[in-house]
Amino acid sequence: MEREMASIIYTPKDIFEQDFKVGVRGYNKVEVDEFLDDVIKDYETYAALVKELREENTRLKAELAKKSTESATSPLTQSIMETPQTASATLTNFDILKRLNRLEKEVFGKQILNNEI
């Protein structure tokens, strides 16, 4: 869902073609024209930057969609999705640690006893 962006009122051409009325004590026309020339340059730079960022955004979204599709079809993901998740089959970390502890006692306990004798 894309956000609605504010609409652009003036194009660089609109700014360039804008003509101001000069009063008795009006602004210096050369100074105003120089300033507007700089505004036009900045405006064009921002427009190019926005275009570039939109293209990058589109490219990154496509890459993300491709990666999520690839990860959804990986063998590990498929095996996890195929494994039934029932309350009795779910192991907690604590359950796994208890089983490892018993296994270590079984394997290493006999080795320790054999080394002491």
Side-chain angles (χ1 to χ4, degrees), residues 7-18 20 36 39-40 43-44 47:
S7 62
I8 296 174
I9 298 171
Y10 298 111
T11 66
K13 184 180 177 188
D14 294 334
I15 297 169
F16 178 75
E17 293 176 350
Q18 179 64 40
F20 297 96
L36 289 176
V39 170
I40 290 169
Y43 198 86
E44 290 171 339

Side-chain angles (χ1 to χ4, degrees), residues 30 33 38 45-46 48 76 95 102 115:
V30 173
D33 286 343
D38 290 341
T45 301
Y46 285 124
L76 178 60
D95 294 330
R102 280 188 242 135
N115 288 339

Side-chain angles (χ1 to χ4, degrees), residues 85-100:
Q85 297 293 325
T86 61
S88 61
T90 304
L91 296 175
T92 64
N93 287 345
F94 183 72
D95 294 330
I96 293 170
L97 289 172
K98 284 185 359 187
R99 289 182 180 187
L100 282 172

